[in-house]
C-alpha cells in the first residue's frame, strides 16, 4: 500500500470518513559540509531529502488537537487543548511547541485539528526528523488557517520551539533546510545574516550516499548544549579581550591564529578551532564546486570529519569506523559525519560504478568492527515543506 493510502486508512479508522482532509509533506535533510557552525554564525551547505514526514489533517470545530503517528502507535492518540500546551516528553511535543510559539506570536488559531503522521526518515539518525515534524506542523497551521506566515518565519518559529519548548539549543540549519529546500539543489546558507543561495548539485558520475550507523544518538542533546556553551565561552573570552566580533565565524583562520591565545580554556580553544576552520572549509568547498572540482570538495569533507573527531569531539567509535571504511574504498570521493554527531549518519560522495562494492565492503567491515548493521541510502535531493493536496 502506498503512503497516502496507508495514512488515509488509519485516518478513517481513528477519526471517521468525512471530506475536507489535507495532505502535507516536509522532508528530512542531510548536511554536506559546515557542521556545528550554524550557531556560530558560519556557512552551512545542507540539502532537503526526498524522504520526510507526511501528515493528513482535518479541521475540528472545537479547540482540541488529536495527533496520531503511525511510527509511534504505542503512544496512541495524543490529545490536548489549544489552551493547555504542556510538554509531556513524547513526539507530540515537537508539534505542541510549534503551535505554542505561533500562538504566542499572536496568530489566530481558531480550531483544533485531527492529524495522522507518518515519517520515513530513520528517526534519531541525524537526518532531522524533529525539524521535519516542527516545520510540517508550522506549514499545516499556516495553510489551513490562512495565517500568511512566510516560510522563513515558520523556520524561525520552529527553531524557537526546539530551543524553548524542547530545550535543545539548536541552530537554524535543519529547520531552514527542510523548510526552504529545493529539488536537486543544496543551500549555501549564511547563518549570520540568513542570506542564502541555491547551488545545483551535479556530481557527474558520482552520487551522495548516506550511511546510517544505526547507533542511536544517546545523550546527544546535553552534549550538544555543552558544545554550544564552550563556543560561547570562547567568543566571550575574545570579545572581553577587545576583539570586535559577533560570532566565532566572523574570524578568518588567519585572524584567528593571531587572537586564539585569548581563549582561556583548552577545551573551548579546541571547539573554536573547529568552528573557524570549518567555516573556511565551507568557503573553500564552494570555490571547488564552482570549478566542478569534486575531488577537492571530497577532501574538504574528509578534513571536516577529522576536525569534528579531534577538535569538536562529536563523532565516536561508530561514526569514525564507518567513515574510515568509506575512505578506504576506491570509489569514495569524500566522507564525513553529518548532523549533530554522537551516532546517527555519515555522508559520502561515491562514484556511481563503485556504489555496490562500497555498500558491501563498508557494510561488512562495519558489522565486524561494531556488531551493528549499517543502512545505506542514495540521497535524492527534494523540495522543502509543502501541501501536497486536498483529499
Ligand atoms: C543539529 C542541529 C543543527 C546543527 C547540527 C550540527 O542537527 O539541529 O542546528 O547545529 O546539529 O551542524
Amino acid at each position: 500500500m502506498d503512503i497516502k493510502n496507508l495514512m488515509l486508512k488509519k485516518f478513517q479508522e481513528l477519526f471517521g470518513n468525512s471530506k475536507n482532509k489535507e495532505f502535507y509533506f516536509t522532508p528530512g535533510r542531510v548536511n554536506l559540509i559546515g557542521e556545528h557552525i550554524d550557531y556560530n554564525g558560519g556557512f552551512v551547505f545542507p540539502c532537503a531529502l526526498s524522504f520526510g514526514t507526511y501528515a493528513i489533517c482535518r479541521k475540528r470545530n472545537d479547540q482540541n488537537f488529536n495527533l496520531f503517528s503511525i511510527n509511534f502507535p504505542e503512544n496512541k492518540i495524543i490529545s490536548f487543548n489549544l489552551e493547555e500546551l504542556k510538554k509531556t516528553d513524547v513526539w507530540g511535543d515537537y508539534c505542541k511547541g510549534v503551535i505554542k510559539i505561533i500562538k504566542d506570536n499572536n496568530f489566530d488559531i481558531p480550531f483544533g485539528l485531527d492529524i495522522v503522521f507518518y515519517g520515513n526518515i530513520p528517526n534519531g539518525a541525524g537526518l532531522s526528523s524533529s525539524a521535519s515534524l516542527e516545520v510540517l506542523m508550522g506549514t499545516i497551521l499556516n495553510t489551513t488557517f490562512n495565517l500568511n506566515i512566510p516560510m522563513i518565519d515558520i523556520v524561525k518559529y520552529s527553531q524557537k520551539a526546539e530551543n524553548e519548548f524542547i530545550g535543545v539549543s539548536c541552530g537554524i540549519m535543519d529547520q531552514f533546510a527542510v523548510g526552504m529546500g529545493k529539488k536537486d539543489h543544496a543551500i549555501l546558507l549564511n547563518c549570520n545574516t540568513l542570506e542564502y543561495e541555491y547551488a545545483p548539485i551535479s556530481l557527474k558520475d558520482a552520487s551522495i550516499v548516506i550511511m546510517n550507523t544505526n547507533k542511536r544518538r544517546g545523550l546527544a542533546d546535553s552534549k550538544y548544549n555543552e558544545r554550544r556553551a564552550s563556543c560561547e565561552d570562547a567568543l566571550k573570552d575574545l570579545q572581553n579581550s577587545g576583539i570586535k566580533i559577533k560570532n566565532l565565524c566572523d574570524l578568518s583562520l588567519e585572524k584567528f591564529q593571531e587572537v586564539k591565545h585569548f581563549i582561556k580554556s583548552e577545551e573551548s580553544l579546541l571547539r573554536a578551532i573547529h568552528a573557524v576552520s570549518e567555516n573556511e572549509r565551507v568557503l573553500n568547498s564552494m570555490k571547488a564546486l564552482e570549478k566542478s572540482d569534486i575531488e577537492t570538495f571530497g577532501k574538504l569533507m574528509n578534513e571536516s570529519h577529522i576536525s569534528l573527531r579531534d577538535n569538536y569531539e562529536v563523532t565516536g567509535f561508530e561514526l569514525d569506523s564507518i567513515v574510515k571504511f568509506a575512505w578506504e574504498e576506491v570509489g569514495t570521493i569524500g566522507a564525513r559525519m553529518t548532523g549533530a554527531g554522537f551516532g546517527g549518519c555519515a555522508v559520502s560522495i561515491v562514484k556511481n560504478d563503485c556504489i555496490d562494492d562500497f555498500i558491501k565492503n563498508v557494510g561488512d567491515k562495519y558489522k565486524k568492527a561494531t556488531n551493528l548493521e549499517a543502512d545505506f541510502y542514495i540521497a535524492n535531493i527534494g523540495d522543502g515543506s509543502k501541501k501536497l493536496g486536498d483529499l
Side-chain angles (χ1 to χ4, degrees):
M1 203 184 305
D2 72 6
I3 291 177
K4 186 165 86 183
N5 285 323
L6 173 84
M7 292 177 69
L8 257 179
K9 189 161 166 268
K10 196 74 211 176
F11 192 97
Q12 282 165 8
E13 189 186 310
L14 295 172
F15 303 120
N17 197 5
S18 67
K19 286 208 166 53
N20 302 323
K21 295 184 285 293
E22 299 176 28
F23 191 32
Y24 290 86
F25 172 74
T26 305
R29 68 95 188 88
V30 66
N31 187 24
L32 300 179
I33 193 160
E35 215 65 81
H36 281 283
I37 54 171
D38 56 349
Y39 52 83
N40 285 310
F43 283 89
V44 295
F45 196 52
C47 43
L49 295 168
S50 56
F51 50 59
T53 320
Y54 294 81
I56 293 184
C57 66
R58 191 182 54 208
K59 264 187 246 177
R60 298 178 54 86
N61 44 25
D62 56 19
Q63 295 206 316
N64 293 329
F65 281 77
N66 295 309
L67 316 181
F68 181 85
S69 167
I70 294 177
N71 301 78
F72 300 104
E74 66 281 7
N75 289 137
K76 314 224 167 64
I77 297 178
I78 299 178
S79 299
F80 53 91
N81 186 275
L82 196 55
E83 298 307 318
E84 38 172 86
L85 298 167
K86 294 202 192 72
K87 204 174 160 201
T88 47
D89 295 318
V90 286
W91 65 269
D93 286 352
Y94 294 106
C95 302
K96 274 190 202 169
V98 173
I99 299 171
K100 179 163 189 331
I101 299 288
I102 291 188
K103 185 169 165 258
D104 290 352
N105 277 272
N106 297 323
F107 288 99
D108 181 31
I109 302 176
F111 304 108
L113 296 158
D114 293 325
I115 317 181
V116 166
F117 292 96
Y118 172 74
N120 54 9
I121 308 174
N123 108 62
L127 300 177
S128 290
S129 52
S130 44
S132 175
L133 186 52
E134 289 157 358
V135 173
L136 175 61
M137 191 67 233
T139 308
I140 291 174
L141 295 176
N142 194 26
T143 314
T144 0
F145 299 126
N146 297 316
L147 304 180
N148 287 317
I149 308 174
M151 183 52 84
I152 183 66
D153 290 341
I154 302 266
V155 164
K156 290 181 190 164
Y157 293 146
S158 300
Q159 183 202 12
K160 204 159 183 232
E162 178 101 24
N163 292 166
E164 293 176 7
F165 196 81
I166 305 293
V168 178
S169 323
C170 67
I172 199 155
M173 171 172 77
D174 300 350
Q175 290 79 8
F176 197 100
V178 307
M180 308 284 287
K182 182 170 168 181
K183 193 173 164 31
D184 297 328
H185 290 72
I187 313 170
L188 177 65
L189 171 65
N190 177 338
C191 299
N192 182 22
T193 60
L194 294 189
E195 284 165 325
Y196 64 98
E197 58 189 77
Y198 293 111
I201 293 294
S202 66
L203 299 170
K204 290 185 280 186
D205 56 348
S207 300
I208 298 170
V209 180
I210 298 174
M211 307 179 274
N212 188 350
T213 61
N214 281 317
K215 150 97 170 127
R216 300 275 308 196
R217 302 175 310 152
L219 289 180
D221 294 353
S222 57
K223 290 188 193 157
Y224 183 94
N225 289 349
E226 273 168 39
R227 294 302 181 282
R228 191 161 178 172
S230 299
C231 289
E232 275 158 20
D233 285 346
L235 177 64
K236 260 189 229 128
D237 286 346
L238 293 170
Q239 288 170 332
N240 292 341
S241 309
I243 314 298
K244 299 223 169 341
I245 48 169
K246 229 177 84 201
N247 298 292
L248 282 179
C249 292
D250 294 347
L251 291 169
S252 66
L253 199 48
E254 205 186 340
K255 180 77 190 158
F256 179 72
Q257 301 299 352
E258 287 166 26
V259 299
K260 65 179 186 198
H261 60 276
F262 289 125
I263 300 173
K264 292 188 197 115
S265 107
E266 193 66 29
E267 192 178 275
S268 299
L269 174 62
L270 274 179
R271 310 300 185 236
I273 292 174
H274 169 73
V276 177
S277 65
E278 182 76 353
N279 197 40
E280 196 114 326
R281 278 186 287 276
V282 180
L283 297 173
N284 288 337
S285 68
M286 291 307 111
K287 286 186 200 141
L289 268 196
E290 271 160 28
K291 291 185 267 170
S292 300
D293 179 0
I294 308 294
E295 302 294 326
T296 301
F297 189 88
K299 286 205 185 88
L300 290 159
M301 288 175 78
N302 299 349
E303 285 171 21
S304 166
H305 184 85
I306 292 169
S307 178
L308 288 156
R309 182 189 70 195
D310 299 345
N311 297 322
Y312 221 66
E313 298 178 280
V314 290
T315 53
F317 181 66
E318 291 78 7
L319 278 170
D320 287 336
S321 302
I322 212 160
V323 166
K324 174 170 155 278
F325 300 140
W327 288 341
E328 286 167 5
E329 289 302 302
V330 280
T332 303
I333 296 170
R336 58 182 288 277
M337 60 149 270
T338 185
F342 313 105
C345 285
V347 57
S348 48
I349 299 181
V350 184
K351 294 231 162 84
N352 290 334
D353 51 9
C354 300
I355 291 180
D356 290 346
D357 284 349
F358 175 94
I359 293 177
K360 168 140 199 357
N361 297 342
V362 175
D364 286 352
K365 287 182 185 173
Y366 180 74
K367 173 87 206 257
K368 245 198 200 143
T370 62
N371 217 10
L372 289 170
E373 212 65 70
D375 286 315
F376 297 84
Y377 327 102
I378 314 245
N380 288 311
I381 306 181
D383 282 326
S385 189
K386 60 184 170 193
K387 177 170 171 178
L388 297 175
D390 293 309
L391 301 174

